[in-house]
Amino acid sequence: MAKMTLIDAINMAMAHELENDDRVVVYGEDVGVNGGVFRATIGLQERFGEERVMDTPLAESMIAGMGVGMAAQGLRPVGEIQFSGFIYPGFDQIISHAARLRNRTRGRMTCPLVIRAPFGGGIHAPEHHSESTEALFAHIPGLRTVIPSSPQRAYGLLLAAIRCPDPVIFFEPNRLYRLTKQEVEDNGEALPLDVCFVLREGTDVTLISWAPAMNETLKAAAELEEEGISCEVIDVATIAPLDMETILDSVAKTGRAVIVHEAPRNVGVGAEIAANLAEHGIYDLRAPIQRVTGYDTVMPLAKMEKQYLPSTARIKDAARRTMED
Amino acid sequence: MKTVAKFEIGFEQYLDPEGKPTKKLPRTANKEELLKLYRLMTLVRIFDTKAIALQRTGKLGTYASSLGHEAAHAAIGVAMKEKDCLAPMYREYAAQIERGVKMSEILLYWGGDERGSNFSGPAHDFPWCVPIATQYLHAAGAAAAFKYRKEERVAVTVIGDGGTSEGDFYEAINAAGAWQLPFVGVVVNNKWAISVPLEKQTAAETLAQKGVAAGIECVQVDGNDIVAMREVMEKALAKARAGKGPTLIEALTYRLHDHTTADDASRYRSDEEVKAHESKEPLIRLRKYLMEQGWWTEEDEEKLIEECRAEVDEAVSEYQNIEPPGVEDMFDYHFEEITEPLAEQREVAIREARRNG
Ligand SMILES: Cc1ncc(C[n+]2csc(CCOP(=O)(O)OP(=O)(O)O)c2C)c(N)n1
Ligand SMILES: [Mg+2]
């Protein structure tokens, strides 16, 4: 089994599906010859040809809209948006069409489209390259939103996304692309698209996170352990639909919840999780739910990025607050 | 079938790559003006080299070089009046510097500091625009505002070859035509959109002809020929100012550097191709012409380079010595007055910043 980075695992999942399903096509700006600006599609055009791995003109509405067309007519398109911050020209196509085609036609037509995009902050990128906008997509009926945070989960979830009969927004935390390596077997085994992952078991407090903030959350859990606070850590990963069962089970055990995300706090996915905890788990809670999030500001440029992103220290503080009962 | 409409795309050039006039030069190509342009282009070239060096040594973030584009950009800056409005993309430094933006402010922006976009120069100019093609609509809107108030002002905007594939580009030139706006759109065709060559971007023979569909005047120009570029800009601006409608200008040039410092162009284009374009770049051609006229000597050149280096060094030290912003900077510009929830978060951020030293 090979040790690989998250971006290698993404590449491997696309290669696996290109190899095994001739309906699959990969397309986007700079994905062919250049292998993508992060190299997520490196080698794919060489291996599978220009007809299946296509450089497109520079147009996101075209990427999303042609994706709808290709998907509706029997292909399994995997489109790349160069950064999630450039997805907006394609928003209309994603929301008005990809997400609704099945419903509008009472199932006569479907849209098995995957839109992949690098996502999140922490790499000192230029303006518009670092935002976390999962809530915008999670809010749309008919869409699935998925964000892996480890090589294994990236591989299994991307396979599932490509095989999914409905549209999937697949965000890839660019800060984690090459941060760590993990053994990933190219076994073609997909992961479910509606189940959270318990990454660490604990008894005192449940830390719930996803995307690049998973990194700081896991660090906080390890450090809190040394202080005698035992953390259970959940990677939500499948943002929509949301697997509340796993989260509720964990909080039933720990009685405390800290939600961590990079996106702004206001109407973030954390609010949805907190509302569900309040509705269905309030009697299990032994302390107020805590949220550690980005501020309700525009994602700052590189110089201020660190001040914006939820830090391990802020996560630890929040966990300690839940223990003050 | 009878022909119902016919179109031609003109190509403008005054100086060939050898610096030889291809026809009689226009009025603006006098000694004083050409020396001013040569100075500006040289300054930007030296600034560019310095910015790349800063990035390579970790003192600047990702940077988009303007190497090879200097003539197209300088002509835009020089032809515009201060009261006109520029909606740039992200690499038109010569145009911006001519309009009063400081080099230290350009560095601030690419260094990851928002204060760079609160730049000197005309306060009505738009900041850098990374979401491709969106700026074209801002310029159309600015032009609509000028027309509404009956002001003799023109909105000028810039886009790349790749950008002309976006919907916003077509929407902007179409609206500019439909409303006969005081709008000048420049397409800086440097043959590449990151790794995608022009042939893969479009089947159109020229990018200028995209203006035909919008019903606006369009022209192609040798964007490495500062004389032609300036002349075409002046004409388009005068036309727009006189209320006679918009123009789309395709400037042919070549991106001699990587797309940005985060890119490695050797992955997708050959050295031979780049080499072939090096001899056509805009500074060589203007220098040859100036020397031929006896307006420029090797000594002048050396002196100019020294002066420009000193000016750039000063800008770099200004950039490096500016006090970093406090964390409040992140909160204070979202609304005219900060909202209560945001004010609370601002306090938290200040406390956090203090804790982290
Ligand atoms: C809407 C949008 N999509 C994608 C990008 C990523 N991107 C930045 S520059 C670029 C290529 C631009 O090429 P071109 O328009 O030719 O301008 P050039 O950089 O060559 O001057 C791309 C794809 C972006 N900034 N905005
Ligand atoms: Mg280009």
Side-chain angles (χ1 to χ4, degrees):
Chain A
M1 224 190 299
K3 273 204 151 189
M4 63 179 68
T5 60
L6 191 151
I7 194 163
D8 293 337
I10 294 220
N11 183 278
M12 191 164 84
M14 282 187 277
H16 188 96
E17 291 308 277
L18 282 161
E19 183 71 51
N20 291 290
D21 184 347
D22 62 13
R23 297 172 303 172
V24 174
V25 294
V26 169
Y27 67 111
E29 295 157 14
D30 304 285
V31 304
V33 178
N34 202 26
V37 294
F38 284 101
R39 314 287 177 252
T41 53
I42 196 163
L44 297 182
Q45 189 178 70
E46 273 168 348
R47 202 168 143 199
F48 298 101
E50 279 181 45
E51 269 154 36
R52 298 190 65 202
V53 181
M54 304 171 272
D55 277 319
T56 64
L58 205 179
E60 292 74 18
S61 181
M62 181 225 78
I63 292 171
M66 286 184 66
V68 172
M70 289 190 280
Q73 299 304 323
L75 296 189
R76 293 278 167 149
V78 182
E80 177 178 301
I81 299 289
Q82 200 157 86
F83 281 86
S84 66
F86 304 134
I87 206 167
Y88 309 116
F91 223 41
D92 189 21
Q93 292 290 346
I94 292 169
I95 292 172
S96 305
H97 297 292
R100 298 166 71 122
L101 194 60
R102 179 188 292 278
N103 185 62
R104 286 176 62 217
T105 61
R106 305 285 93 172
R108 178 172 59 81
M109 294 182 105
T110 60
C111 189
L113 165 68
V114 178
I115 300 277
R116 300 176 34 248
F119 173 90
I123 60 161
H124 303 301
E127 203 175 2
H128 305 287
H129 288 70
S130 304
E131 285 69 14
S132 292
T133 54
E134 68 273 24
L136 297 182
F137 297 88
H139 192 66
I140 303 302
L143 268 192
R144 288 173 189 272
T145 301
V146 178
I147 317 175
S149 67
S150 78
Q152 285 172 6
R153 294 193 288 284
Y155 176 77
L157 289 170
L158 185 52
L159 287 183
I162 299 173
R163 293 172 195 170
C164 178
D166 292 304
V168 180
I169 303 298
F170 195 86
F171 285 138
E172 301 165 3
N174 49 42
R175 177 148 56 97
L176 307 185
Y177 264 158
R178 297 185 166 83
L179 195 68
T180 50
K181 288 190 173 187
Q182 204 178 28
E183 293 199 334
V184 188
E185 194 181 346
D186 191 9
N187 56 11
E189 276 174 29
L191 288 164
L193 282 180
D194 48 10
V195 180
C196 297
F197 300 87
V198 179
L199 301 188
R200 181 186 175 113
E201 296 199 6
T203 51
D204 294 328
V205 50
T206 304
L207 307 184
I208 302 151
S209 187
W210 57 90
M214 222 45 244
N215 189 43
E216 284 67 37
T217 304
L218 283 166
K219 256 191 218 147
E223 291 177 21
L224 285 163
E225 185 79 51
E226 283 167 26
E227 289 177 24
I229 301 177
S230 162
C231 297
E232 182 137 310
V233 178
I234 295 179
D235 176 9
V236 177
T238 57
I239 308 299
L242 184 61
D243 165 25
M244 271 314 294
E245 201 177 309
T246 303
I247 297 171
L248 282 162
D249 283 352
S250 175
V251 174
K253 182 170 73 175
T254 62
R256 301 176 183 87
V258 176
I259 304 163
V260 185
H261 60 69
E262 261 186 40
R265 163 174 307 227
N266 190 42
V267 203
V269 172
E272 178 62 26
I273 294 173
N276 271 287
L277 283 172
E279 276 174 17
H280 307 293
I282 190 114
Y283 300 114
D284 294 323
L285 283 169
R286 297 166 60 182
I289 299 163
Q290 299 289 315
R291 279 185 289 162
V292 183
T293 67
Y295 298 111
D296 292 328
T297 64
V298 172
M299 176 75 195
L301 291 186
K303 280 234 175 90
M304 202 79 82
E305 188 170 52
K306 214 171 148 206
Q307 317 251 38
Y308 173 92
L309 299 174
S311 62
T312 304
R314 272 165 70 194
I315 300 168
K316 284 181 359 190
D317 280 351
R320 287 189 202 112
R321 276 198 298 275
T322 66
M323 298 298 289
E324 285 166 6
D325 47 2
Chain B
M1 218 189 317
K2 68 174 185 185
T3 303
V4 293
K6 239 183 172 169
F7 306 100
E8 270 176 8
I9 302 297
F11 171 74
E12 191 65 286
Q13 187 195 51
Y14 286 91
L15 289 180
D16 73 10
E18 292 306 312
K20 296 255 182 301
T22 54
K23 57 184 171 187
K24 190 173 175 294
L25 300 198
R27 183 186 47 82
T28 50
N30 57 51
K31 179 178 174 185
E32 194 188 336
E33 287 298 306
L34 290 182
L35 287 178
K36 181 172 85 181
L37 282 161
Y38 187 67
R39 193 186 179 285
L40 175 60
M41 286 157 64
T42 304
L43 177 68
V44 171
R45 171 108 8 134
I46 288 168
F47 169 73
D48 216 78
T49 312
K50 186 72 193 184
I52 291 164
L54 287 172
Q55 191 280 333
R56 300 288 189 231
T57 50
K59 296 179 186 118
L60 191 71
T62 301
Y63 172 77
S65 153
S66 73
L67 186 69
H69 309 72
E70 295 89 348
H73 299 164
I76 294 168
V78 169
M80 287 175 73
K81 291 197 198 308
E82 163 148 18
K83 65 180 179 180
D84 296 332
C85 173
L86 180 64
M89 45 190 281
Y90 39 78
R91 53 169 115 245
E92 300 79 37
Y93 311 122
Q96 291 182 303
I97 290 169
E98 176 62 21
R99 288 178 68 68
V101 177
K102 291 195 201 158
M103 290 183 281
S104 58
E105 293 163 340
I106 301 170
L107 294 173
L108 263 186
Y109 178 71
W110 291 112
D113 188 330
E114 277 85 356
R115 293 174 302 176
S117 283
N118 182 18
F119 46 56
S120 313
H124 52 261
D125 276 10
F126 286 94
W128 291 285
C129 187
V130 171
I132 302 284
T134 51
Q135 71 278 10
Y136 250 56
L137 283 163
H138 306 156
F146 301 154
K147 185 171 177 174
Y148 174 80
R149 287 197 301 256
K150 301 190 169 55
E151 294 168 343
E152 287 190 342
R153 299 168 70 188
V154 183
V156 177
T157 187
V158 191
I159 200 167
D161 41 295
T164 68
S165 298
E166 291 273 14
D168 281 7
F169 167 76
Y170 293 99
E171 294 173 31
I173 59 175
N174 183 63
W179 290 6
Q180 287 297 293
L181 297 175
F183 169 98
V184 176
V186 181
V187 177
V188 177
N189 176 358
N190 63 11
K191 309 293 191 295
W192 290 90
I194 309 186
S195 73
V196 179
L198 187 63
E199 313 82 75
K200 282 205 212 161
Q201 196 67 242
T202 179
E205 279 173 271
T206 70
L207 297 176
Q209 77 199 53
K210 295 193 175 195
V212 169
I216 70 179
E217 181 172 343
C218 36
V219 58
Q220 193 183 62
V221 52
D222 184 337
N224 289 344
D225 168 3
I226 186 70
V227 176
M229 192 60 214
R230 166 105 188 241
E231 185 62 10
V232 165
M233 275 306 297
E234 296 275 0
K235 276 190 183 150
L237 280 159
K239 178 180 172 178
R241 209 180 302 288
K244 296 197 172 125
T247 305
L248 186 67
I249 298 168
E250 177 188 10
L252 298 183
T253 181
Y254 188 83
R255 196 194 82 211
L256 288 170
H257 198 259
D258 296 331
H259 168 68
T260 64
T261 50
D263 177 44
D264 171 9
S266 71
R267 295 177 54 78
Y268 51 78
R269 65 181 188 187
S270 70
D271 279 353
E272 295 82 77
E273 180 188 311
V274 180
K275 287 246 159 58
H277 283 279
E278 271 170 3
S279 58
K280 295 183 201 148
E281 62 93 345
L283 272 81
I284 296 178
R285 149 177 353 196
L286 181 55
R287 185 163 56 237
K288 278 186 176 163
Y289 178 75
L290 292 173
M291 285 182 159
E292 188 66 29
Q293 300 302 305
W295 296 343
W296 199 245
T297 63
E298 291 295 345
E299 294 86 82
D300 292 332
E301 179 76 14
E302 271 166 38
K303 194 163 149 261
L304 174 63
I305 288 175
E306 226 165 87
E307 282 167 14
C308 291
R309 282 212 182 115
E311 208 177 316
V312 168
D313 286 347
E314 203 182 301
V316 170
S317 86
E318 207 174 302
Y319 158 67
Q320 287 181 322
N321 291 321
I322 187 171
E323 221 16 64
V327 72
E328 322 78 69
D329 190 74
M330 192 155 82
F331 294 87
D332 289 349
Y333 303 96
H334 285 73
F335 303 103
E336 188 167 20
E337 241 178 86
I338 193 164
T339 60
E340 212 165 290
L342 209 49
E344 278 169 30
Q345 292 186 15
R346 185 180 185 270
E347 289 311 306
V348 173
I350 291 171
R351 263 205 315 278
E352 280 298 311
R354 247 184 241 130
R355 173 164 80 162
N356 303 328

